[in-house]
Amino acid sequence: GCLLTNIGVTSMAHKPLKPTKKFKKLTLKPMANFILTVLFSLVITVACFALQPNPLSEVVAGICSNNIIFLYNSLPVFLSLAFLFLVICNVFYSAAAVSTFWIMASIINRYKILYRDDPFVPIDVFVGAEAVSIIAKTNMRIDLGLLLAAALSALVLVTAGVFIKSKKSSIIFHMTGILICISTALLLNQYIYKSPKIYNSLPVNGPRYYVTSNFNSKGFIYCFLYNLNTYSIKAPKNYNKEYAKNLNNKYAPKEKRAPQKKPHIIMVMSEAFSDITMHDSIVYTSKNDPLMNYKRISKAGLSGHIIVPDFGGGTANTEYDVLTGCMTQSLSSAHTSAFRLVRKSFNALPRFFCRNEYRSSFIHPGNSWFYNRSNVYKHFGINNQIFIDKFSKPEDYKGRLVSDKAVTDKIIQVYNNHLDTYKDTPLFNFTVTIQNHMPYKSYKYQSQNVEAVKTKTEISDAASELLSNYIAGLRDSDRSLGTLVDFFEQSNEPVVLVFFGDHMPNLGKDYLAYKELGYSINQNGSVEDRINAYSVPFIIWANSKAKTDINFAESINSLDLPPDRIISANYLGSILYELLGYKGVEPFYDFLCELRRSIPVITGSYYKTKGGYTMQLPEKLNIKIQDYMKWQYYKISHEQVNLFPMH
């Protein structure tokens, strides 16, 4: 029995067991992978459109009115899916990665617009730390359901990728596909996503210059890629972050001083303010001179000309140059809007004064979103902002725009309110006017009588129309300058007024009115022609109280300005800094004061030194220019700014 039992046990022990049934993974053929890639790209694109903050009905209507908008948004998704699939050979893993990127980016864009009225653009990636700070300060409430849905979608796709594989193809097939994807992406970028012509041709539900309207109408993915091409900052040659950071120490003067008595500062950038009426070909008497106040006040203060970044437009670029001490032209080799590149807190002139006991305000009778001013001025340190909604009375307008008179009244109102509320605290106010904005056609002032310009030489009706309407606005700007000076002269408080233009007026195609007047001007001409194209007046004036407090006349003499008093716009803030008696408080402005004495004019193609205009600088000055370029890039890209409350 034992033997039989042993034999039975042995027999059982050696009997082969049935193999466990193994789960068979599904393998997709190439056509199935292609179809899934197309489907995933469509689903991801639809999801990104659905995440836009504007109503879904509006999104659908926009796509239906122009189907190519959907195509422009879906092509990048399809190409990125195809590229990743060819690299990792799994369509589900590819979809998980691509969907996570675009869905998360769309969610960020949604909440940036809702809370900041400012879309998500590529350069925002580099200011992540400050973005976290902004979220905390604004108590931003993010729908966790959206984040959970995005995470679950990615998880489902990854899980599917574990169990569903793709049939392997030859290495030649994958390499060829990768090259096709890269080549197609480069071509699409060059001819579609980089094209201002295509971007501007697409319909916009809202103001065309309102960036948020563009994102909502044209789709986040397309606009994000367009901004990647258009609004990018180019790092200077041999840029080193640590070297740039230490420029503060390299150029900081040993002496440090600040004024004991701090005057109120009123800065006014007047739309298209120029002195072209001083040209010999235009005739005026002393009683009807459009610039009678400008001429009067010039003799009582510091006056000259600043070289601005643009001709006939680009207002915000002059704001950037004056308020930051940096130069728009150094940001990119392509023409760009500097304000679209300001994405984080900036050590600009308003922030400097706020750190030195000032309270600040900004006035502009235009839309807060234009040039993204509302956000940019917060980055510059000004929270108290006044826009067009505060100019609601019919009498606030002259023609279609808010008048310079209404803006001047608002400046005086802000100043008086400040004195009533913060008696012992100086005010820094920056104002941008709008009345004299182009076009200068007959409809600008509608039925109002506009005095026809009188000239020594005969000019065409078209040129006369443009000149007459422009000069009507110039006359109002000059009156506003006179009103401000007369008002502040009566104040018992010390006040310094800085008044300047933003750019020369555009007076017809191919410089029509300028040419007929015999005015030498050309953006691509001789040095003299270029100077005339980019040169606008500035005045720094102090009332009697301020003249005594800051030794105004003596301070002007110590500036060492060039005989013609022509300087680049980026120096204007540092001149104010020096005039008021600051030194060693802000090394960047001290550096600008030093640089101005050596190179008073810097443009994209030439410099002005004591020896005149040149395209080549001596080695010593060239080192300073290179340091300047690196310092600017550091300030806008990497400098960490103390975010204590600004007033």
Side-chain angles (χ1 to χ4, degrees):
C2 289
L3 180 60
L4 290 173
T5 304
N6 288 336
I7 292 172
V9 171
T10 304
S11 177
M12 289 289 292
H14 289 280
K15 188 176 181 179
L17 299 173
K18 289 184 179 182
T20 305
K21 193 170 183 180
K22 191 176 180 182
F23 180 81
K24 188 176 180 181
K25 293 184 179 180
L26 181 64
T27 302
L28 298 177
K29 292 182 178 181
M31 182 54 70
N33 285 315
F34 176 77
I35 293 172
L36 282 172
T37 300
V38 173
L39 287 174
F40 283 143
S41 66
L42 293 176
V43 170
I44 293 169
T45 305
V46 169
C48 290
F49 271 109
L51 284 168
Q52 290 183 183
N54 50 327
L56 188 59
S57 58
E58 186 180 301
V59 174
V60 173
I63 295 172
C64 291
S65 67
N66 197 326
N67 300 132
I68 203 167
I69 289 175
F70 189 86
L71 180 65
Y72 287 163
N73 281 271
S74 60
L75 278 174
V77 180
F78 173 78
L79 282 174
S80 53
L81 277 168
F83 175 82
L84 270 182
F85 167 74
L86 291 165
V87 172
I88 63 179
C89 302
N90 190 306
V91 69
F92 295 98
Y93 291 164
S94 303
V98 172
S99 66
T100 298
F101 176 83
W102 284 117
I103 296 298
M104 292 306 297
S106 295
I107 291 173
I108 294 170
N109 178 66
R110 176 185 180 85
Y111 284 99
K112 272 205 76 198
I113 290 176
L114 289 174
Y115 281 87
R116 301 275 294 183
D117 194 24
D118 187 22
F120 178 45
V121 295
I123 197 172
D124 287 334
V125 174
F126 300 102
V127 292
E130 185 157 319
V132 173
S133 173
I134 290 171
I135 290 172
K137 287 187 175 183
T138 56
N139 296 317
M140 189 181 293
R141 294 181 180 179
I142 298 175
D143 187 349
L144 295 179
L146 289 178
L147 298 177
L148 183 60
L152 285 175
S153 299
L155 182 61
V156 169
L157 288 168
V158 170
T159 304
V162 172
F163 295 104
I164 305 175
K165 300 296 182 182
S166 299
K167 186 176 179 180
K168 291 184 178 180
S169 302
S170 66
I171 188 70
I172 294 175
F173 171 82
H174 283 271
M175 292 303 297
T176 303
I178 288 170
L179 288 174
I180 290 173
C181 285
I182 293 173
S183 301
T184 304
L186 291 173
L187 287 171
L188 288 173
N189 186 63
Q190 182 66 32
Y191 294 105
I192 294 179
Y193 300 101
K194 202 175 184 178
S195 170
K197 184 177 180 180
I198 291 177
Y199 182 82
N200 293 325
S201 70
L202 295 174
V204 180
N205 186 16
R208 181 161 292 280
Y209 294 103
Y210 184 17
V211 179
T212 296
S213 289
N214 281 272
F215 270 70
N216 287 343
S217 303
K218 301 172 185 177
F220 165 69
I221 296 173
Y222 168 72
C223 289
F224 185 86
L225 293 175
Y226 178 77
N227 275 263
L228 179 64
N229 287 288
T230 307
Y231 300 113
S232 58
I233 307 175
K234 185 179 179 182
K237 188 178 180 181
N238 301 322
Y239 175 76
N240 179 279
K241 182 179 176 181
E242 286 304 312
Y243 177 82
K245 184 178 181 179
N246 290 324
L247 287 171
N248 268 308
N249 299 324
K250 180 177 180 180
Y251 288 103
K254 294 180 180 178
E255 182 186 0
K256 185 174 182 178
R257 66 170 185 261
Q260 291 183 345
K261 298 179 180 179
K262 298 176 179 177
H264 303 284
I265 300 167
I266 309 295
M267 297 185 75
V268 179
M269 189 171 79
S270 182
E271 175 66 41
F273 187 80
S274 77
D275 54 2
I276 64 169
T277 57
M278 295 172 68
H279 192 267
D280 292 340
S281 60
I282 300 179
V283 180
Y284 287 103
T285 65
S286 58
K287 291 184 179 180
N288 72 343
D289 189 340
L291 292 178
M292 63 172 66
N293 288 295
Y294 168 74
K295 291 176 180 177
R296 166 176 67 91
I297 298 161
S298 294
K299 297 174 183 177
L302 168 63
S303 63
H305 289 78
I306 53 174
I307 305 300
V308 297
D310 297 285
F311 170 81
T315 296
N317 289 341
T318 301
E319 291 170 67
Y320 175 84
D321 285 25
V322 170
L323 290 175
T324 67
C326 303
M327 300 185 71
T328 300
Q329 292 174 339
S330 69
L331 292 172
S332 172
S333 56
H335 187 272
T336 190
S337 170
F339 270 23
R340 291 306 309 168
L341 297 173
V342 179
R343 315 298 302 182
K344 67 179 192 64
S345 294
F346 202 111
N347 269 327
L349 198 65
R351 191 175 294 277
F352 166 78
F353 283 114
C354 284
R355 285 178 173 159
N356 286 273
E357 301 175 2
Y358 281 76
R359 294 187 69 88
S360 61
S361 64
F362 171 65
I363 302 172
H364 175 57
N367 292 298
S368 61
W369 50 260
F370 201 74
Y371 284 125
N372 197 30
R373 280 192 175 100
S374 176
N375 289 306
V376 170
Y377 276 92
K378 288 175 185 174
H379 290 320
F380 284 172
I382 300 180
N383 288 320
N384 181 20
Q385 302 179 22
I386 294 173
F387 290 103
I388 194 169
D389 56 306
K390 301 300 182 184
F391 298 88
S392 56
K393 296 179 291 186
E395 57 266 31
D396 287 339
Y397 285 76
K398 184 165 185 178
R400 300 181 178 185
L401 299 171
V402 175
S403 70
D404 281 2
K405 180 183 183 303
V407 175
T408 301
D409 291 343
K410 186 67 69 176
I411 293 171
I412 292 172
Q413 179 188 345
V414 167
Y415 174 77
N416 285 332
N417 289 344
H418 175 85
L419 293 185
D420 292 340
T421 311
Y422 307 103
K423 184 173 179 59
D424 299 323
T425 303
L427 169 69
F428 174 87
N429 170 263
F430 190 82
T431 295
V432 177
T433 71
I434 201 171
Q435 180 192 322
N436 214 14
H437 197 285
M438 66 177 296
Y440 307 109
K441 304 290 285 184
S442 57
Y443 55 75
K444 181 171 178 63
Y445 294 118
Q446 300 168 346
S447 60
Q448 298 181 34
N449 292 324
V450 173
E451 181 182 339
V453 63
K454 295 180 181 179
T455 59
K456 292 180 181 178
T457 56
E458 186 176 347
I459 61 175
S460 65
D461 290 342
S464 178
E465 177 187 2
L466 295 171
L467 274 169
S468 299
N469 284 288
Y470 167 72
I471 292 171
L474 182 66
R475 191 186 301 277
D476 288 339
S477 299
D478 183 74
R479 286 196 189 103
S480 291
L481 172 61
T483 299
L484 288 172
V485 166
D486 293 343
F487 171 78
F488 288 125
E489 183 57 41
Q490 300 303 315
S491 177
N492 294 323
E493 295 282 321
V495 179
V496 172
L497 172 67
V498 184
F499 190 95
F500 60 99
D502 56 349
H503 54 71
M504 289 289 282
N506 186 334
L507 296 174
K509 186 178 180 180
D510 196 26
Y511 313 108
L512 173 69
Y514 292 104
K515 283 185 176 180
E516 294 190 19
L517 287 173
Y519 196 97
S520 179
I521 187 170
N522 191 325
Q523 293 162 269
N524 301 308
S526 65
V527 171
E528 180 186 357
D529 289 345
R530 294 186 188 193
I531 287 294
N532 288 338
Y534 295 107
S535 176
V536 295
F538 79 87
I539 290 178
I540 302 179
W541 171 89
N543 69 357
S544 298
K545 185 73 169 67
K547 282 180 180 177
T548 303
D549 288 352
I550 63 175
N551 298 319
F552 191 60
E554 184 180 331
S555 298
I556 290 175
N557 292 331
S558 67
L559 290 173
D560 299 322
L561 291 169
D564 59 8
R565 291 193 172 179
I566 297 176
I567 58 169
S568 289
N570 57 297
Y571 291 130
L572 190 59
S574 62
I575 283 180
L576 177 63
Y577 169 90
E578 188 174 349
L579 267 178
L580 296 180
Y582 289 98
K583 187 173 183 178
V585 181
E586 184 59 57
F588 182 67
Y589 288 117
D590 292 301
F591 169 76
L592 288 176
C593 292
E594 179 187 337
L595 187 66
R596 172 181 51 78
R597 286 171 165 82
S598 302
I599 315 174
V601 174
I602 304 171
T603 73
S605 55
Y606 55 86
Y607 310 93
K608 183 183 179 184
T609 65
K610 292 181 179 179
Y613 289 97
T614 179
M615 298 182 72
Q616 297 291 330
L617 290 172
E619 182 63 23
K620 186 177 180 181
L621 293 182
N622 191 53
I623 290 173
K624 285 188 177 182
I625 286 292
Q626 295 308 313
D627 281 351
Y628 179 40
M629 298 300 161
K630 293 169 185 174
W631 207 339
Q632 292 181 76
Y633 183 78
Y634 173 76
K635 285 175 71 65
I636 197 169
S637 301
H638 297 130
E639 186 174 36
Q640 297 298 310
V641 177
N642 183 4
L643 297 177
F644 75 91
M646 294 284 109
H647 303 292

